[in-house]
Amino acid sequence: MPEIGPLLGSGKVAEAFEYGEHVLKLYRDPGARSTAFAEAAILAIVADHGLPTPAVHEAGRYGERWGLVMSRASGRPLATLALERPAIAPAALDAMVALHLRVHAEMESRLRPLKLRLADRLKAAPGLDDALRSRLLDRLAALPDGNRLCHGDFHPFNLIGTPESAVVVDWPDATSGPPAADACRSYLLMLQGAPQFADPYLDRYAAASGVHRSDVLAWLPILAAARLCENVPEEKPRLLELARA
């Protein structure tokens, strides 16, 4: 068994370490056994679609933490490259949209339906009064269902490599649902974390997919309210503003 190597990256939920020729993702929560195996199962499902994603090799306990071993994506996040070299930002956004459309072209019924996930989050979201919660649940029920593969966290920091060879990472939030909702989730995440990319991405996605911009943005109040469950306190005022729109 390889030794756990240097830290490669970290997030709120997990850290990634060099692990021989692979990557070891270790969850911060020492009780994240089910999370590790659930993500491994999702990656195995996604692998059936032939998309450029890391291959999962094993899941288990490593020291005092649970994690999974994956193939290593070469390079740096596409967002980092675009921020450092603004001239490649248009190509990076084009590549992002092309990859997102590849994901959305895949039908997938083995993952949890996105609308059920969103309903659960709306019911649990902090900061919503009863009237707003009820209104958002009604709006969600009226929006279309879908059976396409949705990533759930698709943004340029989760695309590793160059515009020509980017790999899509971080799939634990993958679901089966309507592509417009997944595109809107990307828009929301970029509004909060990389606002200079948000509208150019959405314009390109709408043009390439044929989905009208308004059909994507119809999901925005629901997705903003659902994100309140993710405990990102610095985003809460803006998320509540979007949820009330």
Side-chain angles (χ1 to χ4, degrees):
M1 179 179 292
E3 292 186 1
I4 298 176
L7 179 70
L8 298 173
S10 63
K12 187 172 64 173
V13 175
E15 297 173 304
F17 296 88
E18 194 172 287
Y19 195 68
E21 63 180 344
H22 300 308
V23 170
L24 173 62
K25 179 176 182 177
L26 290 179
Y27 295 92
R28 295 185 184 276
D29 179 0
R33 179 180 183 274
S34 61
T35 304
F37 282 95
E39 184 169 0
I42 288 170
L43 283 169
I45 288 171
V46 171
D48 290 344
H49 295 286
L51 297 166
T53 62
V56 62
H57 297 284
E58 61 184 44
R61 193 171 179 86
Y62 304 86
E64 299 300 315
R65 296 161 70 181
W66 292 93
L68 60 160
V69 177
M70 301 175 288
S71 58
R72 186 171 178 177
S74 299
R76 294 188 296 157
L78 201 54
T80 302
L81 298 178
L83 290 169
E84 290 178 353
R85 298 166 53 198
I88 74 163
L93 286 165
D94 288 342
M96 180 181 173
V97 168
L99 275 173
H100 216 176
L101 291 175
R102 284 183 63 187
V103 172
H104 292 161
E106 300 295 325
M107 289 189 290
E108 179 51 68
S109 60
R110 292 168 290 179
L111 297 172
R112 191 177 187 214
L114 175 55
K115 287 184 68 173
L116 289 181
R117 177 189 177 96
L118 289 173
D120 286 347
R121 291 198 169 187
L122 289 178
K123 291 171 186 174
L128 303 180
D129 60 53
D130 290 344
L132 178 57
R133 196 185 311 276
S134 178
R135 187 162 69 248
L136 289 169
L137 285 166
D138 287 345
R139 288 177 71 169
L140 173 62
L143 286 167
D145 289 306
N147 63 352
R148 299 305 177 102
L149 180 61
C150 295
H151 182 277
D153 199 19
F154 195 94
H155 55 75
F157 288 98
N158 276 341
L159 303 180
I160 308 300
T162 67
E164 297 77 25
S165 62
V167 173
V168 187
V169 302
D170 281 353
W171 288 83
D173 294 320
T175 57
S176 173
D182 198 40
C184 190
R185 167 75 174 179
S186 297
Y187 178 74
L188 173 64
L189 293 173
M190 284 185 281
L191 273 182
Q192 303 297 102
Q196 64 271 52
F197 298 140
D199 281 300
Y201 157 79
L202 183 53
D203 289 341
R204 284 169 166 81
Y205 184 89
S209 67
V211 177
H212 198 277
R213 183 184 170 102
S214 62
D215 292 330
V216 174
L217 293 177
W219 292 87
L220 189 57
I222 291 157
L223 290 163
R227 185 160 169 78
L228 291 167
C229 289
E230 297 175 45
N231 190 27
V232 190
E234 66 275 14
E235 295 183 12
K236 185 174 180 179
R238 178 61 170 149
L239 292 174
L240 285 170
E241 179 186 345
L242 292 170
R244 294 181 180 123

